[in-house]
């Protein structure tokens, strides 16, 4: 089963990093294929906490090759500081490879992101303000700066000049910002290029060679289906495609190289930023309990995440969008002690119509309310459970209900933040 894609199935922060880290044990290559440092992965290893924004979670495995694919947008300062942080903790980064075709986040992208959000006022998207949207916009407008450009001073200067020009108007309030000076930016980015040079590679070829040798390759998605630029809750989405199809584009492989797609979902739901969230618990004890027990604060921005019940209508939609072969349910332990557990099984439109499918129309989704199936809760803590049989029967019933509704088997269940706090169901890990 060489090509395995791991994607988020909700609004991000499902715990994909931990799952990738776990599956990376059996893979030779781990590839990030979209997004940028808007993502944040926290991995706890032997009691030590690691936070990543750009580097694939597989970096903690000595000898594995980790790739930042062409579909990722890279803030070089963030990447270099992550590399520095890892080196200080004696983690080897020698096997990190960065696609020469990946696009760079430039200082003006960050300024434009902030300016754009401020202009929108009440209509703002709630972005992470890391320059992600403006960077992808420049990529599409063919004004982007790619990693390979950092290695050629003449080209770099020309391209930055061309990219800066059309932004003058919107960046007028920032005119005196030194980070907008052509010479200063060029010099800084040349220096970044110099430092990154040992890692820059033709990463698509690395993927082909690894797959051709029959090695396992894990494609690690960031964000999630409902933040997908095309299929998510537009415009409250990110500017890339966090769905499985994008693994091909963002890594440079064909659909035939993908053998399985695994979706990760929390046992409840969270969202950061603005946008519709039909199962949100606003100002309720249950929502606060999820926030506190689940430590639901953003890895990237520290923002409090909005919490709510697991939305099976949305999860089934994500499963179909991704051709999902298996589900991983994380943070089931957070739900211990809830009297009952709710699962959204349909929506009701503001006009009273029953909606069995995720509505494609923004207006309908914004005003839809979720209707629930209510199952008994489990009182006992489950953080020590390692086998399916050790889980309380109410927890097993909860999982079974999800599987049946979504039509996708659950293979792994997270019962705590550590690597070993995992329960395998059915066939378990694809590599066991
Ligand atoms: P952007 O990706 O910074 O442009 O933000 C667009 C939307 O995606 C905002 O609602 C962000 O909160 C959300 N978002 C981006 N990255 C993540 C993530 O890794 N986890 C959860 N939400 C994210």
């Amino acid at each position: 089963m060489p090509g395995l894609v791991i994607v988020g199935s909700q609004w991000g922060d499902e715990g994909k990093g931990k799952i990738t880290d776990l599956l990376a044990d059996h893979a030779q290559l781990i590839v990030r294929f979209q997004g940028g440092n808007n993502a944040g992965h926290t991995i706890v290893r032997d009691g030590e906490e690691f936070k990543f924004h750009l580097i694939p979670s597989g970096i903690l495995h000595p000898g594995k090759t980790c790739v930042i694919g062409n579909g990722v947008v890279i803030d070089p300062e963030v990447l270099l500081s992550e590399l520095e942080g890892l080196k200080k903790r004696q983690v080897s980064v020698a096997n990190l490879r960065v696609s020469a075709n990946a696009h760079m986040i430039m200082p003006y992208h960050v300024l434009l992101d902030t300016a754009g959000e401020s202009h929108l006022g009440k209509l703002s998207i709630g972005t992470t303000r890391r320059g992600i949207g403006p960077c992808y916009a420049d990529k599409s407008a063919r004004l982007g700066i790619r990693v390979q450009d950092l290695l050629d001073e003449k080209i770099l200067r020309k391209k930055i000049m061309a990219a800066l020009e059309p932004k003058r108007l919107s960046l007028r309030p920032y005119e005196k910002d030194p980070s907008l000076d052509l010479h200063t930016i060029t010099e800084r980015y040349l220096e970044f290029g110099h430092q990154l040079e040992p890692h820059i590679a033709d990463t698509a070829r690395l993927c082909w060679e690894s797959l051709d040798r029959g090695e396992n390759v894990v494609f690690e998605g960031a964000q999630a289906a409902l933040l997908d630029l095309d299929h998510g809750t537009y415009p409250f989405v990110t500017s890339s495609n966090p769905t499985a199809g994008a693994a091909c584009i963002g890594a440079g492989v064909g659909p035939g190289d993908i053998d399985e797609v695994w979706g990760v979902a929390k046992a409840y739901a969270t969202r950061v930023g603005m946008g519709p969230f039909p199962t949100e618990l606003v100002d309720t004890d249950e929502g606060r309990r999820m926030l506190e027990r689940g430590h639901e604060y953003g890895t990237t921005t520290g923002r409090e995440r909005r919490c709510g019940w697991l939305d099976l209508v949305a999860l089934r939609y994500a499963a179909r969008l991704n051709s999902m072969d298996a589900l991983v349910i994380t943070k089931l332990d957070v739900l211990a002690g809830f009297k009952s557990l709710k699962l959204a099984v349909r929506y009701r439109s503001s006009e009273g119509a029953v909606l069995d499918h995720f509505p494609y129309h923004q207006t309908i989704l914004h005003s839809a309310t979720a209707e629930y199936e209510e199952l008994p809760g489990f009182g006992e803590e489950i953080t020590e459970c390692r086998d399916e049989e050790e889980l309380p029967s109410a927890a097993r019933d909860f999982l079974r209900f999800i599987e049946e509704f979504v039509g996708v088997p659950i293979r792994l269940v997270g019962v705590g933040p550590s690597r070993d706090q995992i329960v395998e169901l059915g066939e378990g890990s694809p590599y066991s």
Side-chain angles (χ1 to χ4, degrees):
M1 215 264 312
L4 171 68
V5 180
I6 298 173
V7 285
S9 316
Q10 297 164 307
W11 281 280
D13 310 312
E14 296 92 351
K16 296 178 288 292
K18 170 178 161 173
I19 303 307
T20 308
D21 179 46
L22 213 61
L23 299 181
D25 269 345
H26 308 273
Q28 280 67 44
L29 199 74
I30 301 97
V31 193
R32 264 281 304 266
F33 59 85
Q34 46 70 231
N37 58 309
N38 47 348
H41 292 162
T42 307
I43 295 165
V44 181
R45 275 201 147 209
D46 305 325
E48 238 194 298
E49 195 174 78
F50 291 85
K51 286 185 195 292
F52 299 114
H53 297 289
L54 272 170
I55 296 183
S57 318
I59 199 75
L60 299 178
H61 298 257
K64 316 260 170 185
T65 304
C66 285
V67 164
I68 298 183
N70 56 276
V72 177
V73 288
I74 300 173
D75 185 325
E77 214 170 340
V78 173
L79 177 56
L80 286 166
S81 91
E82 274 184 22
L83 286 171
E84 213 39 56
L86 282 167
K87 281 188 220 158
K88 272 196 194 135
R89 294 167 83 172
Q90 321 301 331
V91 177
S92 168
V93 294
N95 288 338
L96 177 76
R97 295 289 173 269
V98 179
S99 168
N101 288 347
H103 281 245
M104 309 300 305
I105 295 184
M106 307 297 288
Y108 42 85
H109 292 142
V110 181
L111 295 176
L112 282 168
D113 201 352
T114 304
E117 284 287 89
S118 310
H119 276 139
L120 284 171
K122 269 196 190 150
L123 299 177
S124 73
I125 292 158
T127 74
T128 57
R129 302 195 175 204
R130 298 298 190 263
I132 307 295
C135 184
Y136 278 116
D138 263 359
K139 177 178 177 177
S140 295
R142 290 155 295 177
L143 286 171
I145 312 293
R146 296 191 294 173
V147 168
Q148 56 184 280
D149 299 327
L150 305 185
L151 305 178
D152 186 325
E153 179 172 355
K154 249 166 102 185
I155 287 196
L156 182 64
R157 193 177 302 275
K158 261 198 208 156
K159 288 196 173 179
I160 296 177
M161 200 164 24
L164 259 177
E165 197 46 43
K167 303 186 178 74
R168 290 263 175 238
L169 198 64
S170 33
L171 287 175
R172 193 157 282 165
Y174 300 94
E175 235 161 32
K176 293 205 166 60
D177 194 314
S179 67
L180 285 181
D181 173 66
L182 174 65
H183 179 71
T184 314
I185 307 180
T186 312
E187 290 305 309
R188 262 184 88 208
Y189 276 68
L190 278 172
E191 177 52 31
F192 291 146
H194 179 65
Q195 292 180 52
L196 288 175
E197 196 166 2
H199 300 283
I200 300 174
D202 177 357
T203 53
R205 186 172 298 281
L206 289 180
C207 294
W208 306 335
E209 287 169 357
S210 188
L211 289 161
D212 290 349
R213 284 194 294 268
E215 295 171 357
N216 294 323
V217 177
V218 170
F219 300 91
E220 175 184 11
Q223 291 89 40
L226 299 168
L227 290 174
D228 185 281
L229 182 60
D230 289 77
H231 302 286
T233 53
Y234 193 90
F236 303 100
V237 293
T238 191
S239 295
S240 64
N241 295 105
T243 33
C248 294
I249 309 292
V253 300
D257 288 315
I258 307 299
D259 296 271
E260 279 202 20
V261 178
W262 281 40
V264 186
K266 267 191 255 211
Y268 50 100
T270 62
R271 172 163 207 170
V272 278
M274 311 308 282
F277 183 4
T279 62
E280 183 171 12
L281 290 161
V282 183
D283 249 343
T284 64
D285 288 345
E286 286 160 329
R288 269 188 292 277
R289 194 176 156 86
M290 286 171 188
L291 178 83
E292 277 152 30
R293 280 180 63 88
H295 308 288
E296 296 296 353
Y297 300 91
T299 315
T300 303
T301 57
R303 287 181 288 181
E304 243 181 43
R305 295 177 184 143
R306 299 154 66 191
C307 295
W309 293 112
L310 180 57
D311 183 343
L312 293 183
V313 180
L315 187 56
R316 189 169 55 189
Y317 172 64
R320 189 65 192 87
L321 275 176
N322 283 291
S323 301
M324 221 177 260
D325 295 288
L327 263 171
V328 177
I329 299 293
T330 56
K331 292 187 140 182
L332 183 61
D333 53 301
V334 173
L335 294 186
F338 280 81
K339 228 189 211 139
S340 63
L341 303 175
K342 288 188 183 169
L343 294 150
V345 290
R346 72 186 81 81
Y347 302 147
R348 177 103 30 196
S349 79
S350 55
E351 278 146 19
V354 171
L355 307 170
D356 289 316
H357 299 286
F358 198 73
Y360 69 89
H361 203 295
Q362 198 192 341
T363 315
I364 296 176
L365 180 62
H366 274 263
S367 56
T369 47
E371 295 190 348
Y372 297 93
E373 181 78 24
E374 198 162 342
L375 300 180
F378 47 97
E380 56 273 53
E381 295 294 342
I382 57 168
T383 50
E384 300 300 321
C385 295
R386 295 295 177 270
D387 280 314
E388 189 175 350
E389 294 68 41
E390 289 171 16
L391 289 173
S393 66
R396 276 183 275 152
D397 290 345
F398 177 77
L399 295 169
R400 208 153 297 130
F401 192 94
I402 298 171
E403 275 187 332
E404 277 169 21
F405 190 96
V406 179
V408 175
I410 299 174
R411 302 270 292 267
L412 299 174
V413 179
V415 293
S418 285
R419 259 171 81 76
D420 64 319
Q421 289 179 299
I422 203 97
V423 174
E424 295 195 2
L425 299 193
E427 291 173 58
S429 152
Y431 305 119
S432 60

